[in-house]
Structure formats: structure tokens, C-alpha cells
Amino acid sequence: MEPRRPSRAVIDPKVRQVGFITPNAPPQQPVRTQSYPPESNSPPLSESPASNSLSPVMIPPPRHLSDNLTAYRTPAVPVPESSRRRAEPAAVACSYDPSESLFGTSSPAPSPLASSRLVVDGEFSEESWFKKSDSAKFASSFPGGGFDLTTVKNVGVAAAVAAKKPAAVSGNEKSKASGAESKNELPSGSGSKTSKVKMTKSERRSLQESQRAAKGGNKSAGASSSRAAKQPQQKKDAAPAPPSVAASEKKGTDRPPEKERKKDVPAPRMQFDDKSRVEKAKKRAVVNQTEVRNRVELFRHLPQYEHGTQLPDLESKFFRNDPMHRAVYKVGLQYLAGDITGGNARCIAMLQAFSEAIRDYTTPAEKTLTRDLTAKIGSYVSFLIECRPLSISMGNAIRFLKNRIAKLPLTLSESEAKTSLCLDIDRFINEKIILADRVIVRHASTKIRDGDVLLTYGSSCVVEMLLSHALELGKKFHVVIVDSRPKLEGQSLLRRLVANGLNCTYTHLNAVSYIMHEVTRVFLGASSILSNGTVYSRVGTAAVAMVANAFSVPVLICCEAYKFHERVQLDSICFNELGDPQAVAKVSGRGDVNYLGSLGNKDNLQLLNLMYDATPSEYISMIVTDYGMIPPTSVPVIVREYCRDQLWI
Amino acid sequence: MAGLNLSAVSDDDDDNDQDDHPVLSAAAVAAAARSTLRPPSLQTLLEDMPDPAAVPHTSSSGGDSEEKSKSADKSSRSRKLKHDVIEAVNELIEDIDTCHEQIAEQAVEHIHHNEVILTLGSSRTVLEFLYAAKEKKRSFRVFVAEGAPRYQGHLLAKELVARGLQTTLITDSAVFAMISRVNMVIVGAHAVMANGGVIAPVGLNMVALAAQRHAVPFVVLAGSHKLCPLYPHNPEVLLNELRSPSELLDFGEFSDCMDFGSGSGSPLIHVVNPTFDYVPPKLVSLFITDTGGHNPSYMYRLIADYYSADDLVLQRKAAASN
């Protein structure tokens, strides 16, 4: 790293990389997880092999607005865009070929930045990213309002050329991500052209305040939530998680200044033993739910409703388009019925429902699009929470969407705004989930050797993709699927893997000590990874990781980076989801086991059906994400540097 | 493992045994020397039986054997021996029946107010233990893990509820999640090995590891009849039983995956359903037996109380004795 510093200092002295290098992967592959050599566009720095000698853990610092403009003047360099999450401003911004994407087919003139609010820079980079991945189609719908980046054009061209390679997409994601990260400063080469771009954070904040004051006494929940949503934009920290939408809505109106001051603490989630909050939430509830009678004391802070009572009521309301768009309603019902499970599937379904709802949306008279739409999204989210509490991945996606809505330039027409949002959603899905999964699979399959016995628990879509991919690569290995009650998700995984031709062993969680003697690696999926390295995933994962640790078997978690969260959790009780208690008492498929059939709702007997648990970080050997293969201790680094607030890269 | 000491037999015969079995190992010799103060082992007793023509000086039937005639000796000896054996077996049965009460008497020393106890599966000893503590007016809660695939935990939960204890039934997967709030883990055992290790229903190794991580005492209740003088070598395989896969997967459900006609002919699905788990002694905090509470490192001494070394060290006898 040292030798590079002097040359890098010209452009950006503080470039750091994060992630481990996979030494065998050729540098030009779009494997996102390559360590990102901090080179900028200057040619001497751009060789990837050289980067391998760099220290593997280097983190790009957040950029400032003022930093980057000079960099844009540099000529195009053959940026090894393939898999570098480049931090330097110039390279990053340039690689997207912003001029082409922004102004290719849409509004030709650089829309005056004066009219656009905040982080057009972020948008800009995102558009260009998007252009890279899918070329003209998206660019045509770009609402404009970007920079005029003619200066960076040449750099962009080089990158665009490279972008033709399909692999480049993930590389672009990364560069876009880093570009987006630097959106704070990003005004790109256009600094000279647009005056507004160079706002620092404080300037933006003051602008926001003035705008908010101008909107004055609009006390609607939408306003408060949009305000609350906007507040986090200005802070360095991520907004409170969507499960606390209710909380933020309540708090947004009365505490904006405090939020700005308190930087690092996400708002606490709604605790269900707080009677007043529960009452308020119930009043706004769409779904009529009755609470379970026999609650486990330890979990009084979590909601628990009788299952089976909500569906008929909801089904009768299905065809009314108000208050709930039908797509969102459908997704909510699917969650309630358990038809859609798994973090990625739920997130994608929700985002697609929102996309449809946005397309059908029309702004009511005398309301602004951003605020009203944010309020509407907020109400959809509340409905989904009532159907089934949000997963952390969904929460992050909602924050992204609200952020995108809030950052819409005011000059856009309604249709343009809606299209832009839908495109954003598509991009999020493509980039954060689908492509991320591909990257993870590619990395993790390097960890599978011939003759391995791999163990997995439950059914994780990423692990399933990984095993199929490794099979396609021709590796010879054996799979052990560990399953547990009451969901018995492993059975569906077993079916699909056997259909693919894999040799599988199937067993139940209690037998994991028996089978662990023969296992060489454990691959697990996660619902989320928290900032203290704790893995929050399906209940039982912690037991599997613990037994693997006791037998000295490495445990690898495969998790997309959008699921990371800055929350921390020590054990599984602080935050969890309670499922249907009757599912514990009733054993499906085993008619002989019906010991509790007659007990009904006895006072002394409580049934507890936890859905998630928290695996301590010391049991985890490595986490494979789309940012690379990282140890659990690096998760807060990724959260802070890459998944900030609105960056969402 | 048949070592059953017949308490009714006198101690006179051991010296004679020594002459007939010169190939006894040092351990056996030492044990025999000790056993002059204890009843002789069944093996030594029975070894003398099948040879009616043998000089009856090795008879074990007590001091009065010399007074009978040879034929009468033989029949009376065999009758006495049978009587002794039957009596000993009856004692053993009674031991097994009463061990629950003796173990349960110790419950009040270990369970206090407002405690949370975790158990897995079902064990009558555990049930009696918990009930005894409740009888002494200790109020506590019990988390019962259901113990797939037999789901005996459901039965235990039902019993506990019927007896008035606050019970929460959880799935096995939730054990690690809940154990941070548990004060003590109390389980029964299938067998206790000579090193203090436990052969327990499947899943208990996972529970023991979780308990160790959270510094929760792991207490095993075992009657002394469960002691076994063997050292567990590779216990997961050698001291285990595999049950039918139908408890995990319905036979019909996966019939489309059991394609024996493919390629190598080996089935694509292999289902593993072990019955027992081995818990190493370092994970066990305490054994509670009918003779009191013991450390795992002490268990081998108890085994010496119930088994004679003669019965453990099986040597091939010299041809002359037959």
C-alpha cells in the first residue's frame, strides 16, 4: 500500500479497500469482491495484479463535495472497472459515462442544478450506473436533472466500452456504489457548470430546513414521516428501521432538531409492552387481529396474534382499491398465508408491488408528489407489518425507496417521477439482490473443494444457488441438509437439490452432533447481519453454528450486503418474531404424535414458536457478501461506509 | 456386562478361585483380593457350575456344602444359586422402581424459587424430580423442548401441566435462543459410561454445548442401574441406534427422489435418524443418582461398587479348568 500512496495523493490520498482478495480470480473479472485497489484513473495505478499486494482491508472514506472536481479533468484511463469498488471521485464518477447516460436520449440540456435539490450527484451516478448495466433503455427514461459532465466524457467512454462486457455489470455496480457513496460530494466535473452542486452537507441541511419551514404547518402523517425520512438524509446515520415507521411518524413531528444532533443511534423499535403505543398502532390498523391468549412472559415486547383469524377479514376487503392498492394487498395476504418466505423473496415481492402501486398512483390535487407518495408508501408498509412483521431486508429496501422519493427533483413531471422511481426499484432489485447473489455464489464456490461434505440448515436461496453452481462447475461434494420443526423448510430444499442431481443426506436438528463428525464445511444463509457481527437468521442456525464450532468445522454465511443493519443485538430475545403457537403443538405428517390435542388453551401451558435467532459472531468463520469475503467484525465497516443512509450502493 | 453380585453368598470361596484361574490379570487379582471383603462375582460363581464332576471345594454355595453328598451337593448348589440369582434380580428391579423417589428427594436442594428449568424430551425421573420440587412449594417454570423426532417433549409437557407446573413448550431449534434465560438444564439419561459420559436421547449434546456456552449447569439424573462399566469408544456410531427414516420423511413423499435406477445405483437421498447422543463428561456439571450427587469424574467409582472387576476383564480360562 505504501508505494502507491504518493501517486494516489494527487487524486485521493485516502483511498482504502475493503474485502479479501481472492488471489486466483483474474483481476479483470467483474467479481465485485476483489479487493478494490485504490487506484484512480491514472494509468500507473490501475493494474489489478498490483493491487493484490495491497493490504486487504482498506476502506474508502466518505467523500466531500469539494474534493472531486479536479479529478474530472483527467483523461480517460483504462479503468479496471471490472471489479473495483473505486473510491476515488474522479474515477468513480467518470466510469459511468455520465454525459451519455444522462443526456443521451432525454432532456439534452443540462438541467439547471439550481432547480434540483440535493443529491443530484447521487442520482447522476446512479443513472449512469444504470445506463451501464442496461444501456439505452433506462437512459431514455432518465428524468434528467443531472450534471453536464462533458469533461468526464472521455473517461466515461473508456468505461462504457469496458461496460459492454456482461461481467462489467457488477463492476459497475461497485463503481456506481462508490460513486453513489461519494454522491455527497459528487458534483463531478460539472462543478464548473452548475453552481448548486457544490453544496456541503450543512448547506443542504439548511436548504432542507428552509423548505420544510416553507411547507409550514403541514402536520399530516405523510409530512412528518417524510420529514422523518428526510432527517436521516442529513445525518450520517441510517434512518430508523421501517418497523419503527410508527415510531418515527410519531416522533418526527416533535423532534426534528434532536434527530439531527443525535447522530449515531437509530430510533428504537416499537416495543409491544408499551401500552400507549400499542393502542395508537391499533387504531390505525387495517387488519383486525386478536392477540393470543396465552403469551410467553419473556416475549411481551413482541406482537403475537392469533393465526387464522386475519385472513377471512382481509379477503373480504380484497377488491377495494382503497386504502390499499391491490398489489400490496395481495402481497400482504401472501405473507400472512406463508406463501412467500425468505428475506429475498419477500423483499422482491414487496418492491414489485410498490412499483405497481407507484405506476397507478396519481397525485391528489394540492399535494406534492413526494410527500403524498411517501405517506402512501408509509401506509402500505404499516399494512404489511400487520400482515407479518418486516424482515430487515425489507426495512432497508423501504428506506431506500423513501429516500429515492425524497430525492426526486422537483422539476420532474409526475409521470417522469413515477418512471424514475420504478426504474430505481428495478435497479435495486437487480443490483442488490440478483447480481449480488451471483457474486456471492461465485465467491463462495471457490471455497468448495472436491470431496467436501457441506452442511446447510433450513432453506436459503443463496446457499441453494451456490450448491447448484458448484455442481455445474463440476465439483464433487456431498450435501447434508439439516431441518427442523415447525417449518420443515429443508424438505423443499432437499427436493430441489435432488432434482438437480446432488447427493444429499437429510436429518433433523437434534442429530447435528451425530452428523457433524463427517462435515467439512457449513454454509448458512442469513436474514440479516447486525453491526456487532451477530447473524440474525432462522431459528436453529445458532445451534448449528455452535455445534460446528465445537467440532472445528468452518461456518460460512452467505448474505447480501443490503441486509446488513446498524442495529446490535445480544441474544435472540430482544428482537424476534413470534409465529403461530399452534404449529408447535401440532406435528404435521405424523398422525401418531398428537399428545397435546386435547389440551386446548390451558393456563399453565404456553407454546412458543420463535422464528429467528441470533448467532454470536464467534461461531462465524467468514461472511460471503457481494462486497467480498469478510470476517464478521467487518460488518459495521460495510454498514458505515457503503450502506449509509441514502447511498445504498 | 452381567456382573451382578449375589449378596446372599458367603465369602469363603475366593481363595479357592485363585488356584483354578492362574491367568487372572493383575486387576482381577487385586479385585479378588478386595473381594474377600465382598461377595464373589457371578462369573466366578457360574464358572464352577457347569462341571458337576469337579471337586466341590470350589463350590460357592456356602459353608454347608461339605455336609451334603456330591449329588445332593450339585442339586442343592444349583437350587441355591438359582435362588440367589433370582433374589438379586428382584432387588435390582426394586432398585429401578425406587430410584425415582430417591433422586426426587434431592430435588429441593437444587431447585429454588423463580427458577427456569430446561429439559428435552421426556424422562420419568425428571418428571418426578420436578414434581417433588413443586410439592415443596417451590415455584418455577419449565421450558420443555419437544425432542424430535419422537416428540416425547409433548408428553412431558402434558404431564407437567396436569400436575400444575408452568410449562412452555418450545421447538428444539429454539433451545439456543432460550437458554440464556434458563437457570438450569435437567435431563435424564439412557446410560452413564465409565468415564462419566452420558448416552442420552438425541439432541442433548447440542443442549449441553449451549449450556456450557451460557454457563448454565447441566444436571443429569440417572439411577445407579444405568451405570455402565464400558468406556465409550466412538459412541456416536457404536453405542447408537438408527431409527426408521419414516419419522423424518414420509415414505410416499419423496418417492420421486429415490431413483435407484440412476447411474451408480446408489440412492440420492440418505436419511439419518439416530436415537442417541453422546455427551462428554466435561459438559456435565452434576450427576444426581439415588446415592446422591456426584461429579462426572467420580462415576467410575460407583461402577466399581456395582460391578466386580472379574466380570469386566474376561479372560480366556486355561483348558485345565474345563
Side-chain angles (χ1 to χ4, degrees):
Chain A
M1 178 154 77
E2 268 42 56
R4 291 183 185 280
R5 288 229 180 236
S7 45
R8 264 192 281 131
V10 171
I11 294 172
D12 177 29
K14 291 180 290 180
V15 177
R16 286 176 285 159
Q17 297 175 355
V18 67
F20 289 147
I21 305 164
T22 44
N24 299 330
Q28 289 306 320
Q29 268 177 9
V31 178
R32 215 177 182 183
T33 58
Q34 280 274 10
S35 69
Y36 319 118
E39 46 290 84
S40 59
N41 302 330
S42 48
L45 294 181
S46 57
E47 300 81 26
S48 43
S51 72
N52 285 343
S53 62
L54 293 173
S55 151
V57 181
M58 293 187 284
I59 304 156
R63 292 292 151 64
H64 260 303
L65 268 179
S66 35
D67 277 350
N68 40 23
L69 301 185
T70 53
Y72 283 95
R73 307 295 170 175
T74 61
V77 292
V79 176
E81 78 294 343
S82 48
S83 49
R84 307 291 165 69
R85 177 169 295 281
R86 248 158 298 130
E88 45 296 272
V92 166
C94 300
S95 63
Y96 306 135
D97 182 26
S99 53
E100 281 179 22
S101 62
L102 287 185
F103 306 104
T105 54
S106 62
S107 46
S111 52
L113 271 182
S115 58
S116 60
R117 253 182 313 137
L118 262 194
V119 274
V120 184
D121 38 8
E123 269 178 24
F124 138 80
S125 51
E126 286 154 9
E127 310 321 320
S128 49
W129 167 85
F130 204 105
K131 163 83 171 164
K132 283 287 145 87
S133 53
D134 225 308
S135 9
K137 158 165 87 115
F138 291 119
S140 59
S141 50
F142 181 62
F147 310 112
D148 176 8
L149 296 165
T150 51
T151 52
V152 290
K153 190 169 190 163
N154 34 15
V155 177
V157 167
V161 167
K164 296 305 180 261
K165 291 184 278 183
V169 176
S170 57
N172 290 330
E173 293 173 2
K174 288 221 199 129
S175 37
K176 176 210 93 69
S178 43
E181 182 213 354
S182 57
K183 84 181 167 146
N184 288 340
E185 338 77 19
L186 206 230
S188 62
S190 57
S192 59
K193 313 263 187 249
T194 61
S195 54
K196 192 140 189 188
V197 178
K198 272 210 247 184
M199 281 194 290
T200 60
K201 260 191 185 303
S202 52
E203 290 175 79
R204 275 184 281 134
R205 184 173 305 152
S206 52
L207 179 67
Q208 284 266 307
E209 290 287 353
S210 57
Q211 286 176 344
R212 194 179 312 117
K215 301 293 183 217
N218 186 353
K219 289 288 186 221
S220 69
S224 60
S225 61
S226 61
R227 242 175 288 159
K230 281 202 195 112
Q231 311 246 357
Q233 289 176 14
Q234 297 150 13
K235 293 188 307 188
K236 282 231 161 212
D237 315 300
S244 64
V245 153
S248 64
E249 285 178 18
K250 287 181 202 127
K251 297 206 283 208
T253 49
D254 45 347
R255 286 180 19 193
E258 288 171 31
K259 279 206 169 194
E260 293 190 41
R261 278 197 297 272
K262 261 196 319 190
K263 286 205 160 243
D264 285 285
V265 180
R269 288 174 303 280
M270 176 142 161
Q271 305 285 331
F272 274 80
D273 47 2
D274 184 351
K275 282 264 180 270
S276 56
R277 300 255 285 259
V278 171
E279 288 307 313
K280 281 193 194 168
K282 272 199 190 153
K283 289 204 198 105
R284 283 197 305 266
V286 177
V287 183
N288 294 328
Q289 313 204 62
T290 54
E291 294 206 359
V292 148
R293 258 170 290 161
N294 232 353
R295 303 181 56 139
V296 180
E297 279 300 317
L298 207 45
F299 290 96
R300 283 225 164 258
H301 60 288
L302 297 175
Q304 182 158 15
Y305 299 111
E306 293 267 351
H307 277 240
T309 56
Q310 306 110 326
L311 262 178
D313 180 54
L314 282 180
E315 280 169 355
S316 66
K317 293 196 208 156
F318 186 72
F319 290 105
R320 288 193 275 143
N321 218 8
D322 165 65
M324 212 54 60
H325 188 270
R326 61 185 177 279
V328 177
Y329 208 79
K330 173 174 159 201
V331 163
L333 286 185
Q334 283 175 321
Y335 287 167
L336 200 54
D339 288 343
I340 301 187
T341 55
N344 285 344
R346 286 171 71 193
C347 190
I348 291 179
M350 175 190 75
L351 284 176
Q352 286 174 339
F354 282 171
S355 187
E356 203 179 314
I358 289 177
R359 257 178 248 135
D360 291 344
Y361 169 78
T362 51
T363 318
E366 296 169 14
K367 293 218 172 137
T368 60
L369 176 105
T370 52
R371 290 183 200 267
D372 189 58
L373 187 57
T374 310
K376 228 170 169 44
I377 298 282
S379 69
Y380 293 162
V381 169
S382 306
F383 168 69
L384 291 179
I385 293 178
E386 288 162 22
C387 293
R388 187 176 162 188
L390 291 184
S391 67
I392 297 183
S393 56
M394 291 166 68
N396 288 344
I398 291 171
R399 269 182 13 212
F400 165 78
L401 181 61
K402 286 192 172 171
N403 171 39
R404 299 306 303 154
I405 294 176
K407 279 168 24 177
L408 283 176
L410 294 175
T411 53
L412 293 186
S413 74
E414 180 177 315
S415 62
E416 285 172 336
K418 294 198 309 189
T419 333
S420 151
L421 285 176
C422 292
L423 287 176
D424 282 342
I425 292 179
D426 285 340
R427 171 169 54 93
F428 185 89
I429 294 178
N430 263 329
E431 177 190 354
K432 297 281 178 204
I433 306 182
I434 300 182
L435 283 167
D437 282 347
R438 280 195 220 146
V439 171
I440 291 175
V441 162
R442 203 174 339 211
H443 273 268
S445 45
T446 60
K447 293 298 177 191
I448 301 181
R449 310 158 299 186
D450 280 346
D452 262 348
V453 178
L454 308 177
L455 185 140
T456 182
Y457 176 73
S459 166
S460 162
C461 56
V462 189
V463 176
E464 187 183 340
M465 283 198 275
L466 164 68
L467 296 174
S468 308
H469 186 251
L471 188 68
E472 281 166 30
L473 291 180
K475 310 210 180 190
K476 307 267 176 291
F477 57 94
H478 192 95
V479 176
V480 177
I481 299 175
V482 177
D483 200 6
S484 83
R485 278 242 305 145
K487 296 192 106 180
L488 291 175
E489 294 165 323
Q491 289 187 359
S492 55
L493 177 68
L494 173 70
R495 209 179 275 283
R496 291 193 293 266
L497 289 182
V498 169
N500 272 348
L502 267 175
N503 272 328
C504 300
T505 296
Y506 177 82
T507 182
H508 60 99
L509 179 64
N510 280 339
V512 70
S513 312
Y514 174 85
I515 202 82
M516 194 57 78
H517 289 284
E518 308 175 17
V519 171
T520 55
R521 296 236 199 283
V522 176
F523 281 95
L524 300 170
S527 168
S528 164
I529 305 191
L530 307 173
S531 276
N532 57 342
T534 308
V535 176
Y536 186 73
S537 60
R538 180 66 68 216
V539 67
T541 309
V544 172
M546 171 189 66
V547 175
N549 197 52
F551 286 81
S552 307
V553 174
V555 176
L556 288 87
I557 308 282
C558 300
C559 178
E560 300 86 349
Y562 85 102
K563 290 180 175 172
F564 290 2
H565 201 279
E566 79 258 354
R567 189 155 66 76
V568 292
Q569 188 169 331
L570 287 174
D571 61 18
S572 318
I573 310 216
C574 321
F575 182 68
N576 212 316
E577 186 185 329
L578 297 177
D580 181 13
Q582 290 308 313
V584 174
K586 189 159 166 18
V587 182
S588 66
R590 292 277 301 275
D592 52 325
V593 180
N594 194 12
Y595 308 125
L596 292 178
S598 54
L599 274 189
N601 266 329
K602 274 231 166 155
D603 277 344
N604 279 342
L605 177 67
Q606 281 137 11
L607 302 165
L608 180 62
N609 184 2
L610 284 180
M611 305 283 281
Y612 292 104
D613 72 8
T615 306
S617 60
E618 62 254 23
Y619 294 148
I620 312 294
S621 312
M622 178 159 74
I623 304 180
V624 185
T625 75
D626 39 336
Y627 286 82
M629 295 192 269
I630 58 172
T633 47
S634 294
V635 170
V637 172
I638 300 240
V639 169
R640 187 183 148 90
E641 303 290 344
Y642 293 120
C643 296
R644 206 73 84 72
D645 216 19
Q646 316 319 334
L647 301 183
W648 276 119
I649 38 184
Chain B
M1 276 200 277
L4 188 60
N5 287 336
L6 303 182
S7 48
V9 178
S10 74
D11 298 6
D12 299 346
D13 314 300
D14 295 346
D15 294 336
N16 298 331
D17 289 345
Q18 298 285 351
D19 307 327
D20 282 337
H21 307 288
V23 295
L24 283 175
S25 69
V29 166
R34 276 197 306 273
S35 66
T36 50
L37 302 173
R38 286 193 224 136
S41 66
L42 184 60
Q43 180 201 11
T44 51
L45 295 178
L46 291 175
E47 267 160 4
D48 303 323
M49 276 318 297
D51 187 0
V55 177
H57 72 277
T58 59
S59 156
S60 60
S61 46
D64 58 348
S65 56
E66 292 89 18
E67 292 141 21
K68 301 198 176 121
S69 65
K70 280 200 187 166
S71 59
D73 277 350
K74 181 176 69 152
S75 66
S76 73
R77 244 183 330 170
S78 68
R79 245 186 296 120
K80 180 116 188 6
L81 182 60
K82 284 183 192 170
H83 166 77
D84 290 340
V85 170
I86 291 172
E87 202 177 307
V89 171
N90 284 336
E91 270 187 30
L92 188 58
I93 293 176
E94 197 189 317
D95 267 351
I96 295 176
D97 283 340
T98 57
C99 78
H100 300 299
E101 284 132 40
Q102 289 177 313
I103 292 176
E105 279 165 14
Q106 306 169 55
V108 73
E109 293 167 13
H110 298 284
I111 300 181
H112 304 281
H113 277 291
N114 295 332
E115 289 210 335
V116 180
I117 312 276
L118 174 75
T119 184
L120 186 141
S122 170
S123 160
R124 185 166 154 217
T125 322
V126 172
L127 176 64
E128 299 291 335
F129 192 83
L130 296 176
Y131 188 56
K134 176 178 182 304
E135 286 290 294
K136 294 284 194 299
K137 309 288 183 279
R138 299 283 161 93
S139 70
F140 56 97
R141 316 184 34 119
V142 184
F143 283 151
V144 180
E146 61 182 4
R150 297 182 69 193
Y151 302 105
Q152 303 273 332
H154 291 226
L155 280 174
L156 181 67
K158 192 167 165 180
E159 293 278 325
L160 287 172
V161 167
R163 298 193 189 196
L165 277 166
Q166 283 282 325
T167 316
T168 305
L169 182 66
I170 62 176
T171 53
D172 311 312
S173 37
V175 165
F176 189 91
M178 300 305 298
I179 203 161
S180 57
R181 299 295 192 270
V182 164
N183 296 118
M184 193 184 315
V185 179
I186 300 183
V187 295
H190 176 75
V192 179
M193 312 306 291
N195 64 341
V198 181
I199 303 292
V202 70
L204 279 173
N205 189 26
M206 178 184 74
V207 176
L209 285 168
Q212 182 194 44
R213 196 224 178 239
H214 289 91
V216 174
F218 187 84
V219 174
V220 176
L221 309 181
S224 44
H225 61 278
K226 295 198 172 161
L227 296 174
C228 168
L230 290 186
Y231 181 87
H233 296 285
N234 200 3
E236 281 86 0
V237 175
L238 299 181
L239 297 176
N240 212 334
E241 286 170 24
L242 294 179
R243 297 166 66 90
S244 162
S246 66
E247 290 179 352
L248 299 183
L249 295 179
D250 258 354
F251 279 126
E253 244 176 81
F254 280 80
S255 52
D256 52 331
C257 302
M258 308 290 284
D259 179 23
F260 286 79
S262 68
S264 54
S266 57
L268 289 177
I269 296 185
H270 175 226
V271 179
V272 172
N273 188 5
T275 318
F276 297 118
D277 235 351
Y278 172 68
V279 180
K282 66 177 169 22
L283 297 178
V284 178
S285 310
L286 186 68
F287 279 101
I288 297 185
T289 67
D290 39 2
T291 49
H294 308 290
N295 222 23
S297 53
Y298 182 73
M299 293 314 274
Y300 79 98
R301 301 301 273 174
L302 296 182
I303 291 168
D305 271 349
Y306 291 92
Y307 292 83
S308 162
D310 297 343
D311 296 322
L312 303 182
V313 182
L314 300 173
Q315 300 285 341
R316 181 173 281 287
K317 286 185 298 205
S321 64
N322 289 342

